[in-house]
Amino acid sequence: MQFTVAIDGPAAAGKGTIGRALAARFGFAHLDTGLLYRAVGAKGGDPVLAAQSLNADDLARGDLRSMAAGEAASRVAAIAQVRAALVDYQRGFARRMGGAVLDGRDIGTVICPQAEVKLYVTASADVRAHRRWMELGGDASQILAEVIARDARDMGRSDAPLRAADDAITLDTSALTIETATARAVAAVEAKLPRRLG
Ligand code: CDP
């Protein structure tokens, strides 16, 4: 069975948490596409060459979750040739047998416009910055400023800007527990799963 769940949304909205939970629940494979852009940014040198030669070792680096790596990712992600180099891998992953969940910024709009389920996971900037601060520590007001700046760059770029697909279900997690947000995402997938015979 091919079945794709596309999850998009701004920084630290809870896409990864929901994506991992859906993958575990339904036995789907999960791809955090932000990691691809983080690895390109962290590799240094020419970002287009870095994207074209990305390998498993690049994705296994220990420093990809930092705020600095997120910032570098968002800069290289605005380059059309970088995005183009990563399209085939993501589309192949999305249509693998057994089902797939991909989270990122342009999954429902550009990578998998045919995805069976599209979720747009968001939350207020304050809530998202607080979550990132709980995860990474550091200066809270600086984290908020970086989250806001990164959102503006991701939404304002000309190639594949962050936006909800017209047919996406929006999940605002500002006031939701992880359990409630996940339960809503599970219900959205269950509503679209092909019914088993017998
Ligand atoms: O974890 P967080 O939501 O903070 O970020 P991420 O999903 O790891 O993505 C890091 C950066 O990569 C984003 O700010 C985007 O600029 C870029 N990105 C993208 O352009 N398209 C994607 N499908 C995924 C990430």
Side-chain angles (χ1 to χ4, degrees), residues 7-16 32-38 64-67 69-78 83 86 90 102-107 111 128 132 135 147 150-151 153-155 157 159-162:
I7 307 180
D8 293 303
K15 304 180 299 286
D32 168 4
T33 66
L35 212 56
L36 304 176
Y37 294 92
R38 285 171 181 263
L64 297 182
R65 290 276 159 223
S66 68
M67 289 300 286
E71 179 71 16
S74 145
R75 290 184 188 281
V76 298
R83 307 197 69 83
L86 302 174
Q90 295 175 85
L102 288 83
D103 71 78
R105 301 289 187 289
D106 62 339
I107 308 303
I111 300 296
R128 292 186 286 113
R132 192 71 3 134
E135 190 185 333
V147 160
R150 190 139 67 86
D151 288 351
R153 192 181 302 122
D154 290 349
M155 291 174 183
R157 69 186 175 215
D159 192 35
L162 168 63

Side-chain angles (χ1 to χ4, degrees), residues 122-156:
T122 188
S124 72
D126 281 335
V127 166
R128 292 186 286 113
H130 182 69
R131 288 180 188 156
R132 192 71 3 134
W133 176 76
M134 298 276 280
E135 190 185 333
L136 298 176
D139 180 335
S141 56
Q142 190 188 341
I143 291 181
L144 176 61
E146 286 183 19
V147 160
I148 291 172
R150 190 139 67 86
D151 288 351
R153 192 181 302 122
D154 290 349
M155 291 174 183

Side-chain angles (χ1 to χ4, degrees), residues 8-10 12-15 18 119-128 131 168-178 180-182 184-185:
D8 293 303
K15 304 180 299 286
I18 291 174
L119 301 173
Y120 188 77
V121 178
T122 188
S124 72
D126 281 335
V127 166
R128 292 186 286 113
R131 288 180 188 156
I169 298 168
T170 296
L171 208 54
D172 187 331
T173 67
S174 303
L176 299 182
T177 62
I178 290 176
T180 307
T182 301
R184 292 196 189 163

